[in-house]
Amino acid sequence: MRSTYPMKLIGACLLLCGLSINVSAQYFDNYSNNLPDASASFQTKEVLATDVDNDGDIDIILANEFQRNVVLLNNGQGVFTEGQVGIPANEEHDSEGITVGDFNQDGLNDIVFVSEDDFEHEYYWNNGNGTYNTPPIFLPYTVCRTVLAHDFNSDGVDDLILGNNGQNMMLINNGAGDFANETFERIPFFEDATQDIDIADVNGDGKIDMFVANENGNHLLINNGFDVFIDETANKLPQGLVMDSRSMLFGDVDGDGDQDIFLCNVAFADGADARNRLFLNDGQGNFSDVSANNLPAYTEQTVDAVFTDFNNDGSPDIIVTNVLGIPMGAYVNNGNGKFNDVTNVVLGNLAVEAFGIAAADFNNDGFEDLYIGNREGKDVLMLRNPAVLSSEELPIVALSVRPNPVRSTVQIQGEWTEAPKDVMVFDTQGRRVINITNADLNGDNLSFEMPQSVADGVYTIRIQTKKSIGTAKIVLLR
């Protein structure tokens, strides 16, 4: 359900993009032949995109239901082979969720898989070459469907939260990759059936808050400033909704600089409304339900989704995965958080029942692609088709960034006929991170300082004038 990108150079990619759409071809083409037949054909429950072998391209980790979990290594062109990993082939659990984090502080992403029905979670340390070993460290037995790594106590080391059937569990890392249970010191007591957890600063105080998506009622937990999470559900979330939520996303869908919420809902629980929901943030962490006006009027059975800017206009669009025979959906954002159904244009006649999806640039062409975890057959790899973009409305400006990775000063070269009116920075989920108002233009060279508040990672710079537009991908690595 989550995509994690490498904090190193992916490539000085040039994105040549316009605003109008050539609808004679679909946005994504099926390249599933780039996946191994055997190891990409298990009952996939979750997909996570990350750089496993530290080579700068995006690999895939798969959590499979009562089959062995899999790591797929990317050759840099979007062709995958199964890694020679240390994950035991005879380990077959009811794996439901995945997270990665540098738990032992060696600079490499380690893996945790969590299991539901057989309670056994898997914990692996990364050797740095696509292989793993199992540390002699115990993770508690729980009925768990989701897991998230983050530095929850602000000590610089990745911790864990387990989303359980029952009380969720906060595990704090001692710095060496072992964990202490600090659940009751840090999160409220709830006997919930948790399906997903995500984090974002929803009220703009600089501290990470938490949304817990449950089968039986969701929770918004606000950080009190001391890394203790307080239940503010009744005060800040819309009330009176009966939802069975299976996944959720944070993203700035309306371009106002704060984090909104998209909820993936099903009707598995008695009385639950299967309609997906969109909650807009007022900037203070108070959310309003705009689903009726801003989402397509369909009742689906949605279990996962991703934000990805598939039409390259700077606003996050949505792709959803559904079950019970309902096809996937693709919704384009008008820039103000209102979405329209463009599934046929984006995905064509793709028919797959998927429990997990990840968006990332797998073939290093500057466009995000899709990996779709097919629970009942071979997984699907959809690579972005750049031919659907044209320059009928605004001419394209080719941009180059040197040096890239960027340390602090972003230096962009282009051929502008006038000074840019908009310089915006977006993260990998299409969320606008910052507007640049003090960029210095000297001939064809534009430069600005990246604020210290922007974390290391992969970003897209979008520069627009009245007569042209261009984007470039950068890697911020201080």
Side-chain angles (χ1 to χ4, degrees):
M1 296 181 184
R2 303 285 169 246
S3 293
T4 304
Y5 293 82
M7 301 304 180
K8 60 180 292 187
L9 179 61
I10 291 181
C13 303
L14 303 181
L15 281 71
L16 307 180
C17 66
L19 293 182
S20 63
I21 303 302
N22 171 8
V23 297
S24 62
Q26 66 190 48
Y27 281 66
F28 295 91
D29 293 325
N30 195 324
Y31 279 79
S32 300
N33 288 337
N34 289 7
L35 304 177
D37 289 334
S39 50
S41 298
F42 296 138
Q43 296 183 41
T44 304
K45 289 302 295 288
E46 185 166 0
V47 179
L48 189 145
T50 187
D51 184 4
V52 166
D53 51 2
N54 210 33
D55 65 353
D57 53 46
I58 306 297
D59 309 302
I60 289 291
I61 306 174
L62 302 174
N64 297 313
E65 190 173 35
F66 286 115
Q67 293 170 302
R68 62 185 178 87
N69 299 318
V70 169
V71 172
L72 299 178
L73 300 182
N74 188 350
N75 72 348
Q77 302 300 313
V79 178
F80 292 84
T81 56
E82 184 170 359
Q84 300 299 312
V85 299
I87 298 175
N90 61 346
E91 291 283 343
E92 296 184 359
H93 301 291
D94 184 26
S95 297
E96 299 273 334
I98 319 163
T99 196
V100 296
D102 182 11
F103 302 116
N104 57 355
Q105 299 191 80
D106 63 355
L108 302 170
N109 273 333
D110 310 306
I111 303 178
V112 172
F113 297 97
V114 292
S115 177
E116 181 182 13
D117 289 345
D118 65 351
F119 322 140
E120 291 196 35
H121 312 318
E122 299 173 62
Y123 180 27
Y124 301 110
W125 283 356
N126 193 336
N127 294 323
N129 58 358
T131 67
Y132 291 82
N133 63 79
T134 305
I137 291 171
F138 172 79
L139 291 181
Y141 293 109
T142 63
V143 179
C144 188
R145 300 184 182 94
T146 189
V147 59
L148 180 66
H150 180 73
D151 177 14
F152 288 108
N153 65 339
S154 302
D155 66 351
V157 183
D158 285 327
D159 310 303
L160 291 172
I161 185 167
L162 305 183
N164 297 323
N165 188 5
Q167 174 63 37
N168 295 333
M169 187 174 291
M170 180 78 77
L171 302 178
I172 300 300
N173 193 339
N174 68 355
D178 203 354
F179 302 92
N181 187 349
E182 295 190 11
T183 298
F184 297 109
E185 293 91 340
R186 298 191 180 274
I187 59 176
F189 177 79
F190 294 114
E191 288 286 348
D192 290 329
T194 298
Q195 289 283 345
D196 195 17
I197 298 174
D198 204 358
I199 54 174
D201 178 10
V202 302
N203 57 2
D205 66 352
K207 301 294 288 187
I208 290 296
D209 308 301
M210 185 183 307
F211 191 96
V212 183
N214 298 314
E215 296 179 19
N216 52 348
N218 302 317
H219 294 291
L220 179 65
L221 308 182
I222 300 298
N223 194 319
N224 71 351
F226 300 96
D227 299 322
V228 176
F229 294 86
I230 308 301
D231 182 25
E232 292 286 349
T233 305
N235 299 324
K236 293 184 175 295
L237 288 186
Q239 300 299 298
L241 302 174
V242 180
M243 293 181 292
D244 181 350
S245 298
R246 296 299 163 127
S247 184
M248 62 82 55
L249 304 172
F250 278 119
D252 181 12
V253 301
D254 53 359
D256 63 355
D258 54 43
Q259 295 300 300
D260 309 303
I261 293 172
F262 179 78
L263 289 171
C264 303
N265 292 326
V266 297
F268 299 166
D270 290 342
D273 184 355
R275 184 188 180 96
N276 296 327
R277 296 281 170 176
L278 182 65
F279 295 165
L280 292 188
N281 190 346
D282 69 352
Q284 302 299 313
N286 304 301
F287 292 87
S288 58
D289 184 6
V290 298
S291 309
N293 294 323
N294 289 39
L295 292 180
Y298 300 116
T299 299
E300 300 160 322
Q301 303 285 346
T302 302
V303 292
D304 201 10
V306 290
F307 281 134
T308 179
D309 182 12
F310 53 65
N311 66 342
N312 281 60
D313 67 349
S315 297
D317 310 304
I318 301 174
I319 295 180
V320 301
T321 68
N322 303 310
V323 294
L324 300 183
I326 299 173
M328 295 176 58
Y331 308 140
V332 66
N333 189 343
N334 72 349
N336 296 313
K338 183 176 176 59
F339 293 84
N340 293 305
D341 188 352
V342 290
T343 302
N344 290 337
V345 173
V346 174
L347 299 174
N349 61 356
L350 179 67
V352 60
E353 181 170 308
F355 272 70
I357 185 171
D361 181 8
F362 295 119
N363 58 354
N364 286 306
D365 66 350
F367 296 91
E368 281 196 329
D369 311 301
L370 302 174
Y371 189 104
I372 301 163
N374 185 359
R375 188 166 179 263
E376 300 297 334
K378 186 177 179 180
D379 293 345
V380 178
L381 178 66
M382 302 290 283
L383 298 184
R384 182 68 166 78
N385 178 6
V388 300
L389 293 177
S390 72
S391 57
E392 294 172 6
E393 291 189 14
L394 290 178
I396 298 166
V397 175
L399 307 180
S400 62
V401 180
R402 296 290 187 275
N404 200 0
V406 170
R407 302 301 179 187
S408 178
T409 303
V410 181
Q411 301 181 64
I412 302 175
Q413 186 175 45
E415 295 181 0
W416 290 285
T417 58
E418 59 184 354
K421 66 184 182 69
D422 287 312
V423 180
M424 293 176 283
V425 180
F426 298 88
D427 66 12
T428 53
Q429 293 186 346
R431 300 178 295 201
R432 186 165 60 190
V433 175
I434 192 171
N435 288 348
I436 304 300
T437 59
N438 59 348
D440 179 34
L441 181 63
N442 182 11
D444 290 338
N445 297 296
L446 181 143
S447 63
F448 60 87
E449 292 296 316
M450 190 68 76
Q452 287 296 319
S453 59
V454 179
D456 288 1
V458 180
Y459 297 95
T460 296
I461 309 296
R462 183 174 183 264
I463 300 176
Q464 184 173 339
T465 73
K466 293 180 180 179
K467 299 179 181 179
S468 63
I469 187 171
T471 65
K473 183 171 286 186
I474 69 165
V475 178
L476 179 62
L477 184 63
R478 292 188 175 93

